[in-house]
Amino acid sequence: MMLIPCPHCGPRAHAEFTFDRPVEAITRPDETPDALVRNLFSRDNPRGPSRELWRHTYGCRSWITLTRDTATHAITDVRPVGADA
Amino acid sequence: MSGGHRLSTGGVIDRSQTLRFRFDGRDYAGHPGDTLASALLASGVRVFGRSFKYHRTRGLLAAGVEEPSALVGAGEGGRFEPNTRATDLHLYDGLVSESQNRWPSLDLDVGAVNQWIAPFIPAGFYYKTFLGPPALWKLYEHVIRAAAGLGRPPQLPDPDRYERRAAFCDVLVVGAGPAGLSAALAAARSGARVALVDLDRRLGGSLLGDPVTIDGQPAKDWIDAAEAELRTRDVRILTRTTAIGYYDHNMVYLAQRVVEPGARTGTDGISQRMWRMRAGRVILAQGAIERPLPFEDNDRPGVMLSGAVRTYLDRFGVAAGERFVLATSGDDAYRTAVRLCDAGLRVDAVLDSRPSEAIDPALLRRARDRCPVETGVRPLRAIGTPRGVTGLEVRAASGTVKYVADVVAVSGGLTPSVHLHMQAGGGLDWDEGRGVFTPTAPRQGQVSVGACAGRFQLADALSDAWRAGLDAAAATGGKPVADTPPRSETWAFADQASAFVPAPGVNPKKVFVDPQNDVTLGDLDLAWREGYRSVEHQKRYTTLGMATDQGKTSNLIGLARLAENEGRPAPQVGLTTFRPPFIPTTLGLWAGEDAGFHVTPLRRTPLYDLHAAFDPPWQAVGYWRRPRAYLRAGETLATAALREARMVRTTVGITDVSTLGKFEVSGPDAAALLERVCATSVSKLAVGRGRYTFMLREDGLVNDDGTVWRLGEDRFLLTSSTGGADRMAGLISYARNVLYPDLRVGAANVQEHYAAIAVAGPRARAVIAAVVEGMVPPRHMSLDRGVVAGVPVLVIAASYSGERAFEVYAPSHQAVAVWTALAEAAEAQEGGLYGLEALEILRVEKGHVETGGEIDGRTSAHDLRLEKMLNPRGGYMGQLAQQRPAFADPDRLQFVGLESLGGPIPEGSMLVERPGFAVQGHVTAAGIRVLEEGFVGLALLKGGRARLGDELLAWSPTRTASARVRVSEPVFHDPAGDRYRD
């Protein structure tokens, strides 16, 4: 079980969080149909760093983005959603 | 009589006390400190069970948790636990145990005939034999199920409790042998919070009973001093606790046996406890597991691992037999031989496969002082009967030689226990010279020390572990002490040498590799010849390593055989994946407290107790429970539901709809947010009005539906389905916080803040007028506020049933008074309560879609005839995706009604021309006309919108029921809505 450093609450158990989606799958109504289909259905399945949207559902309930290495589960660069560079 | 017996001295057991126990109906006795295995061995028992496939007799191979053969059932009734290793069951007074895989008894076993037909049940037997038409599978299944499985499940409910606990520490040390104790001492003295776990009942590991000295003390005294010091330093010491899984970010699951298998629990009633230990650093000191040697009939009772023979002698004071022969490829058997001789036991020979020049002369001399040693000899076959081994045949330079023995102690090399290291994502190095995989490249900072790192010398293990303890403490904020590590002489004989290949002339079909699953070298060769050349394929095809021991003693032998067949080095062939749990665990351990009532949470509406007073049949809706009907004397569920539905159509009914999702959305941009979440228009709603709405998923399919009400200029109430409420809460939060963080809007989930009571029927207006002080009941799709029984309420006019209807929203904590007032008023109007079944009958007759029914995650707005309601201005979630042309394909499954031409339409039936024909659709809901005769239903039918009037068969082969149906518009009651519109 991973330990996820919530930017608001500090390190908390994975069980408190819900994975939502890779950041690239955050689709918007003004996208082109091609981009939408690609982001919804044809996403990369990286072995390595993946930028992801999570929610601290059973904690502070806030949305966060983080980088998780899908091979090692190393978690880096956790920040509140919208705080991306 | 040959056999094991207890020695008068030696071992760490308490001979002053006697523990009585039963095995297969016979009474035995042992001592505190015994395992079931050691106590039975001391009593002369050799046969502990029969094997899985051939039902060959099996005895003890090992003395520890790796034991593949001596599996027993322990306990009685609900406490019965099958497949427990006799070597891992510490004796207690009153233990009741039994052997497995034998019928009718261990001595006389009918299934043993399998070994005579062994040539006909080779590797992959099931795959080859059970081919053919599917109908035959029904026959095979009975045979397979009768023959498969080990032991038997308990037949009664488990009376005990299982507990889960979370814990954390700076340094977790797994294994309390010499390395583990050394590491724990170093880390604890350096100020780290240390946890030390060991699967045994006491600390010491391989040191228990060993005559070695550490820091000048006998091992036993050193262990006791170490334990005492660790306790004073507040180290959390957990014995009978096995680290079963090493998960991400240093989360280690620890399975603790609070009481032994089958034993009565203490006053807390707890049988086992699962610890979820989060550690800063993990030090693995799990030791190594010895492997047997490959020769014919090497599974006979009495063929035991050399280290196990020594453990029984040194730790339990048990001689495993009377005449010993030791066959070895390395030094370990010499240790055993010396110990046996020094205990006065008869060792006929140490048979070393190595040439004498490859053996340390001092070692040879020391052994030859005590017993004969032959070098360059290789074991060919065990001689004996199902009752046990009587000798060993070997090939020496001079030819074939036979030795008489009742114990053949074997040593084919040591396998470091790298299970947890590998679960943690580590890598392995292959040491060709010694034939061992050693841990490398730790991904989670875990450190392996001692034998599990391939460091078999005691002095090395102690000093390595000490350093690892200091480092781990330093890494977690401790201050390493300058003390010197514990010192010991090296074990005289601890060089590792592996033997995987049997002597020439040995029949591989008789050499057992995995004794629990009866996998032989011949099976591995056959699988290889048949093309199963990956290590994972070999495992699945032959079942090597798939038994309850997970191949602890056998996997490496199988790997070596595959490498030999492949002509490739072992590391290139690779290992199968190490998966948790390390040892078999009970299901109760995983379930913890989540059993019985606590399997799932129960969500109660504020009116739950009022419903429960009727003792209604409940319907589980997510975690909620809703009454299906309020039965009167003599009624069935069906007749009660129909009565309640008729009541709603003719007078008035009230029902609890508090489980619906409710969201309050407020702020200047509230309408803007809702128009992104909902696929219908919202912003044009006048204050005080509401409308039906639905939401799409991002892929354009319908997500959920509900109603939206404008409470004020900047304030809305959105409802959604019961089952979709949590999903909708997430969706709204996602839209608000991730997609549109700039909107000036707040969204609150008020699902449990308000109770909701539906009032439906021709006399609903009268009920509202009578109960809500001074209220003129609002027009359809309008709302008003008022007071009921002193409670402020919101009344909205919306109809799900197809009658004039209202929903009354009241604060949850005051809802009972409102319900009571409404119920009394309904009764005064010759109405009453109705449940979920009537609700369903009413909505089916009215043709409303339902989330979970027609909104099934596969239907589009077009499929459900909702496309005209889509917001023409767009901008909502899923808009782009739902425009994809395939979603308007006329051949899609589309929402239609069904009128039965005969009896009831079977629930969930498929729509076909005739039985066996292609399926054209399915029934999503079956109903009955409420006031008229006949049966109706709702369905999704291929191209259904163009097929009104078609006749089909609603066919349910699983219910052996069917009905002829005619396709119709999906509304059977008041299509124009005259009964509720104003």
Side-chain angles (χ1 to χ4, degrees):
Chain A
M1 190 189 293
M2 295 189 289
L3 196 63
I4 300 178
C6 173
H8 308 287
C9 312
R12 296 295 186 95
H14 177 182
E16 293 182 17
F17 295 81
T18 320
F19 169 84
D20 198 87
R21 62 186 76 200
V23 164
E24 63 175 306
I26 300 175
T27 64
R28 289 171 195 281
D30 51 6
E31 275 177 313
T32 66
D34 281 352
L36 179 91
V37 167
R38 187 175 63 245
N39 290 334
L40 283 182
F41 302 113
S42 308
R43 295 197 297 269
D44 284 345
N45 181 17
R47 178 180 170 84
S50 170
R51 191 85 191 140
E52 295 169 346
L53 177 68
W54 287 67
R55 192 179 185 200
H56 196 184
T57 316
Y58 304 102
C60 66
R61 311 201 114 199
S62 60
W63 296 83
I64 59 175
T65 54
L66 53 81
T67 301
R68 179 179 64 99
D69 189 306
T70 59
T72 66
H73 284 183
I75 291 174
T76 51
D77 192 20
V78 186
R79 49 180 92 189
V81 70
D84 291 87
Chain B
M1 182 192 156
S2 73
H5 55 274
R6 183 85 65 183
L7 302 173
S8 55
T9 58
V12 282
I13 52 165
D14 179 1
R15 285 184 178 75
S16 68
Q17 289 186 57
T18 298
L19 303 175
R20 313 226 161 256
F21 68 100
R22 287 176 83 81
F23 177 66
D24 278 348
R26 286 188 56 186
D27 291 319
Y28 294 91
H31 300 297
D34 263 326
T35 60
L36 175 62
S38 68
L40 285 172
L41 192 64
S43 305
V45 173
R46 305 187 80 189
V47 177
F48 278 68
R50 283 179 180 268
S51 69
F52 179 61
K53 192 162 139 189
Y54 301 140
H55 287 235
R56 286 170 68 96
T57 54
R58 292 284 159 77
L60 290 169
L61 179 69
V65 73
E66 71 273 24
E67 172 61 43
S69 294
L71 301 185
V72 299
E76 293 179 290
R79 290 200 170 94
F80 179 79
E81 188 180 313
N83 297 337
T84 301
R85 297 150 305 280
T87 51
D88 184 33
L89 203 177
H90 292 264
L91 201 62
Y92 56 91
D93 202 51
L95 165 67
V96 177
S97 59
E98 63 177 40
S99 60
Q100 298 189 159
N101 278 9
R102 79 287 185 272
W103 185 86
S105 76
L106 194 50
D107 290 335
L108 176 70
D109 175 69
V110 170
V113 71
N114 279 2
Q115 59 188 297
W116 307 118
I117 58 165
F120 309 107
I121 37 180
F125 168 67
Y126 293 149
Y127 306 114
K128 290 166 183 163
T129 309
F130 299 119
L131 301 173
L136 275 181
W137 265 102
K138 291 183 177 173
L139 266 175
Y140 298 151
E141 193 185 351
H142 291 294
V143 179
I144 293 173
R145 287 200 187 283
L150 288 159
R152 57 181 176 87
Q155 303 295 313
L156 294 170
D158 192 329
D160 296 329
R161 286 178 54 210
Y162 296 80
E163 189 181 62
R164 268 198 297 259
R165 268 204 216 171
F168 54 90
C169 61
D170 292 331
V171 180
L172 171 65
V173 181
V174 178
L181 286 171
S182 175
L185 283 170
R189 282 188 201 166
S190 303
R193 289 170 304 176
V194 178
L196 174 65
V197 303
D198 196 285
L199 52 78
D200 213 325
R201 201 173 194 166
R202 55 201 305 169
L203 306 185
S206 61
L207 287 178
L208 287 168
D210 194 310
V212 76
T213 61
I214 298 176
D215 285 345
Q217 295 174 289
K220 183 183 180 306
D221 295 348
W222 182 77
I223 295 167
D224 290 346
E227 179 171 0
E229 179 182 342
L230 292 173
R231 291 199 189 278
T232 63
R233 294 185 185 277
D234 281 341
V235 171
R236 190 195 289 271
I237 297 175
L238 298 171
T239 54
R240 282 309 266 152
T241 302
T242 310
I244 56 168
Y246 195 141
Y247 299 94
D248 290 310
H249 299 177
N250 283 343
M251 168 62 82
V252 182
Y253 276 30
L254 310 171
Q256 181 182 22
R257 289 220 179 256
V258 180
V259 298
E260 290 298 316
R264 188 171 294 279
T265 49
T267 48
D268 60 4
I270 294 174
S271 169
Q272 296 177 41
R273 185 178 288 129
M274 180 82 95
W275 294 81
R276 296 175 182 172
M277 179 71 78
R278 179 82 69 180
R281 282 285 186 281
V282 179
I283 297 175
L284 301 172
Q286 303 168 94
I289 291 171
E290 197 169 25
R291 291 188 306 275
L293 282 169
F295 53 88
E296 289 178 24
D297 290 337
N298 59 345
D299 64 327
R300 288 271 188 234
V303 177
M304 299 173 71
L305 294 171
S306 151
V309 170
R310 193 166 69 243
T311 299
Y312 287 115
L313 178 71
D314 283 342
R315 177 172 173 185
F316 300 107
V318 176
E322 300 192 333
R323 290 183 73 173
F324 295 81
V325 164
L326 296 95
T328 186
S329 62
D331 290 357
D332 190 78
Y334 292 81
R335 277 178 78 193
T336 306
V338 169
R339 295 292 307 136
L340 289 169
C341 293
D342 290 351
L345 294 162
R346 175 171 178 177
V347 177
D348 281 46
V350 174
L351 306 166
D352 196 327
S353 60
R354 296 174 294 181
S356 54
E357 57 271 22
I359 307 166
D360 177 9
L363 175 68
L364 266 178
R365 214 174 311 120
R366 192 163 162 193
R368 280 185 168 145
D369 286 346
R370 294 168 168 84
C371 61
V373 177
E374 303 298 332
T375 58
V377 283
R378 304 182 68 183
L380 293 174
R381 63 188 58 87
I383 306 162
T385 69
R387 292 184 182 277
V389 71
T390 57
L392 182 70
E393 189 176 318
V394 300
R395 167 153 306 131
S398 56
T400 303
V401 182
K402 287 184 182 174
Y403 289 89
V404 174
D406 64 350
V407 172
V408 175
V410 294
S411 178
L414 293 170
T415 307
S417 272
V418 294
H419 299 74
L420 293 183
H421 169 77
M422 293 303 284
Q423 287 174 20
L428 291 176
D429 276 334
W430 172 248
D431 180 338
E432 179 71 40
R434 300 193 298 167
V436 292
F437 281 106
T438 53
T440 183
R443 177 188 289 167
Q444 301 196 33
Q446 76 271 22
V447 181
S448 298
V449 294
C452 73
R455 301 276 278 174
F456 301 122
Q457 291 287 359
L458 178 57
D460 297 341
L462 290 169
S463 58
D464 287 2
W466 181 266
R467 199 174 318 115
L470 297 183
D471 291 348
T476 52
K479 195 170 177 300
V481 288
D483 305 1
T484 53
R487 287 175 211 266
S488 172
E489 73 259 35
T490 59
W491 271 311
F493 324 122
D495 272 3
Q496 158 78 14
S498 296
F500 299 109
V501 184
V506 166
N507 179 358
K509 290 179 183 170
K510 293 186 173 178
V511 178
F512 285 84
V513 179
D514 180 339
Q516 190 173 131
N517 270 356
D518 281 337
V519 179
T520 65
L521 280 181
D523 291 325
L524 302 181
D525 295 347
L526 179 66
W528 183 80
R529 286 200 302 275
E530 291 181 356
Y532 295 92
R533 297 185 177 191
S534 123
V535 66
E536 299 281 0
H537 286 159
Q538 175 184 265
K539 171 177 172 174
R540 270 74 186 179
Y541 194 61
T542 63
T543 72
L544 169 71
M546 287 173 67
T548 60
D549 67 323
Q550 291 283 292
K552 290 185 176 67
T553 56
S554 60
N555 276 349
L556 210 61
I557 303 173
L559 168 68
R561 189 67 169 187
L562 181 62
E564 189 193 343
N565 282 330
E566 284 278 282
R568 292 194 289 160
Q572 280 187 28
V573 174
L575 280 169
T576 51
T577 309
F578 291 86
R579 290 194 180 85
F582 175 67
I583 55 166
T585 52
T586 59
L587 291 175
L589 183 67
W590 293 96
E593 304 279 16
D594 301 337
F597 177 78
H598 295 288
V599 165
T600 52
L602 172 62
R603 294 180 81 178
R604 298 177 171 92
T605 77
L607 306 168
Y608 182 89
D609 290 343
L610 295 178
H611 306 317
F614 289 89
D615 191 22
W618 294 102
Q619 176 73 52
V621 187
Y623 293 140
W624 301 98
R625 253 189 223 166
R626 298 176 69 176
R628 297 178 71 181
Y630 301 89
L631 273 66
R632 290 178 182 168
E635 281 186 331
T636 64
L637 180 60
T639 57
L642 192 57
R643 169 184 54 77
E644 290 174 359
R646 283 182 176 144
M647 174 183 76
V648 172
R649 289 262 185 268
T650 52
T651 60
V652 62
I654 72 168
T655 192
D656 180 4
V657 292
S658 302
T659 60
L660 292 178
K662 310 176 200 74
F663 304 93
E664 218 169 279
V665 182
S666 45
D669 292 327
L673 179 69
L674 285 167
E675 287 208 333
R676 286 162 171 80
V677 170
C678 300
T680 67
S681 73
V682 174
S683 59
K684 288 178 178 166
L685 269 182
V687 173
R689 297 280 292 169
R691 65 158 298 163
Y692 173 79
T693 190
F694 59 96
M695 308 80 175
L696 302 186
R697 308 192 315 201
E698 287 168 286
D699 63 4
L701 295 170
V702 179
N703 193 350
D704 203 351
D705 70 347
T707 55
V708 59
W709 303 86
R710 194 159 205 161
L711 304 176
E713 187 56 38
D714 293 345
R715 211 164 143 236
F716 292 83
L717 175 70
L718 174 70
T719 70
S720 70
S721 71
T722 300
D726 293 344
R727 193 169 62 232
M728 195 54 58
L731 186 78
I732 292 171
S733 175
Y734 172 73
R736 164 69 185 80
N737 295 293
V738 179
L739 294 183
Y740 309 107
D742 296 334
L743 290 182
R744 295 162 300 163
V745 59
N749 183 351
V750 292
Q751 183 182 25
E752 298 198 6
H753 294 224
Y754 297 106
I757 302 161
V759 183
R763 299 183 192 172
R765 284 179 67 98
V767 169
I768 295 295
V771 168
V772 190
E773 294 152 29
M775 177 180 279
V776 177
R779 294 186 304 128
H780 183 61
M781 300 316 283
S782 296
L783 64 86
D784 201 357
R785 291 166 206 281
V787 175
V788 174
V791 179
V793 296
L794 172 71
V795 179
I796 64 176
S799 176
Y800 192 55
S801 57
E803 300 301 323
R804 168 76 64 186
F806 304 90
E807 285 168 20
V808 179
Y809 287 74
S812 288
H813 65 287
Q814 295 172 303
V816 168
V818 177
W819 170 271
T820 306
L822 287 167
E824 282 169 8
E827 270 169 42
Q829 296 291 339
E830 297 166 59
L833 316 181
Y834 68 104
L836 206 56
E837 295 295 321
L839 194 77
E840 178 74 357
I841 292 171
L842 293 163
R843 79 98 187 168
V844 170
E845 193 178 37
K846 180 62 185 171
H848 283 308
V849 295
E850 184 183 57
T851 304
E854 295 73 30
I855 300 175
D856 64 356
R858 294 176 295 181
T859 42
S860 68
H862 194 269
D863 299 337
L864 296 172
R865 302 175 178 229
L866 299 173
E867 76 277 8
K868 291 201 180 78
M869 284 191 225
L870 288 167
N871 189 345
R873 280 170 290 128
Y876 49 88
M877 224 181 261
Q879 181 209 0
L880 202 57
Q882 73 89 25
Q883 291 170 351
R884 284 179 290 167
F887 278 7
D889 184 340
D891 267 353
R892 285 177 62 84
L893 290 174
Q894 292 174 328
F895 179 46
V896 295
L898 301 174
E899 288 173 315
S900 173
L901 304 176
I905 299 172
E907 290 268 3
S909 55
M910 48 185 118
L911 295 171
V912 294
E913 288 289 342
R914 280 195 279 146
F917 276 44
V919 178
Q920 303 181 33
H922 59 271
V923 174
T924 54
I928 184 169
R929 293 304 308 269
V930 176
L931 298 178
E932 286 131 89
E933 291 299 309
F935 297 93
V936 293
L938 301 175
L940 292 169
L941 175 65
K942 196 172 179 199
R945 284 169 86 160
R947 297 181 60 179
L948 300 185
D950 279 12
E951 286 187 17
L952 289 163
L953 185 70
W955 182 53
S956 175
T958 53
R959 291 172 193 243
T960 59
S962 62
R964 299 282 321 163
V965 293
R966 184 187 295 121
V967 180
S968 69
E969 291 287 346
V971 52
F972 309 97
H973 175 76
D974 186 26
D978 295 333
R979 295 178 68 82
Y980 49 84
R981 285 190 204 285
D982 295 282

